[in-house]
Amino acid sequence: HSNDTIPWLYILISTSCWTITYLLVYFHMRKPEYSVRFVTLLHALTSLCLCFYICVFKSPFPLFLSSMGLQNTWWHNMGMTYSLGYFLFDLTWSLYMQTEKPIMLAHHVVSIFGFLLCLKYGVSGCEILATTGGAELSNPFLQWRWLLQQQQRLDTDVGRFVEHMFLLVWFVVRMGVGTILYVAVILSSNPLIAVKFGANCMFTVSCTFTYGIL
């Protein structure tokens, strides 16, 4: 399985692009939290579309047991490198600004570990991109909710709509479809033990997030 080729140059380029995007937004807005959340929203929307395209049109259906642990294609490597650069940027920003709770830092570390693992061994790109796309689906509502909270408009009809949509997407996609994907990875004999370990870590993080929401 091992091809010993982590595309460090492309990861550096991806991380640099996300950092430059943040700096451009920051120089315009002069608000670090607003700027980083804009970058987060941009990643959520673009990676969601990218992951959907790759998983639907460039991969076997990711929820089938037979789809687990397969060799990566160029599309898988590109999608993972794209999001890995973002997570490296956001983890660095979060550590520097000290704004995030330990569970969010753990989420980023697990995500980075997963991307690097799948790039290193050249397998399971389909599963990790399906996980990324599903996780990012709720992110736009999370950012919208934060913006309404900053404007003290959370207790309005729009605020309640955003809250309900976030919860709906979270429980249906992240915890519903996400659990199906997690079980498929664990039950399939194809994925590496390290990939199964990463799936356990990410599922634990998701359950912890869910406990905090409840």
Side-chain angles (χ1 to χ4, degrees), residues 35-141:
S35 301
V36 78
R37 285 183 178 272
F38 176 85
V39 175
T40 298
L41 178 62
L42 180 63
H43 171 260
L45 294 174
T46 54
S47 67
L48 175 60
C49 295
L50 185 61
C51 290
F52 177 82
Y53 176 77
I54 295 172
C55 290
V56 172
F57 298 106
K58 297 295 180 179
S59 301
F61 188 67
L63 296 182
F64 292 156
L65 290 179
S66 59
S67 303
M68 305 291 120
L70 299 181
Q71 290 291 127
N72 296 340
T73 65
W74 178 88
W75 283 99
H76 293 129
N77 291 335
M78 186 269 289
M80 288 188 288
T81 303
Y82 180 81
S83 287
L84 175 56
Y86 163 76
F87 280 111
L88 287 170
F89 153 75
D90 199 53
L91 177 63
T92 303
W93 187 92
S94 298
L95 290 172
Y96 178 75
M97 300 298 289
Q98 298 183 349
T99 57
E100 298 294 348
K101 296 178 180 179
I103 185 61
M104 181 58 76
L105 299 178
H107 169 270
H108 279 30
V109 169
V110 171
S111 298
I112 291 167
F113 165 80
F115 285 127
L116 289 174
L117 180 72
C118 294
L119 287 168
K120 163 71 174 175
Y121 290 100
V123 294
S124 292
C126 182
E127 298 97 291
I128 199 168
L129 290 179
T131 302
T132 303
E136 294 298 345
L137 190 59
S138 61
N139 199 290
F141 295 105

Side-chain angles (χ1 to χ4, degrees), residues 164-180:
H164 291 149
M165 285 302 298
F166 170 75
L167 291 173
L168 177 66
V169 173
W170 180 276
F171 284 102
V172 172
V173 179
R174 181 113 181 198
M175 296 310 298
V177 179
T179 298
I180 296 172

Side-chain angles (χ1 to χ4, degrees), residues 17-36:
C17 287
W18 287 112
T19 304
I20 292 170
T21 302
Y22 166 78
L23 291 174
L24 290 173
V25 176
Y26 174 74
F27 288 147
H28 177 71
M29 302 184 72
R30 297 293 178 179
K31 295 180 179 179
E33 185 74 15
Y34 276 85
S35 301
V36 78

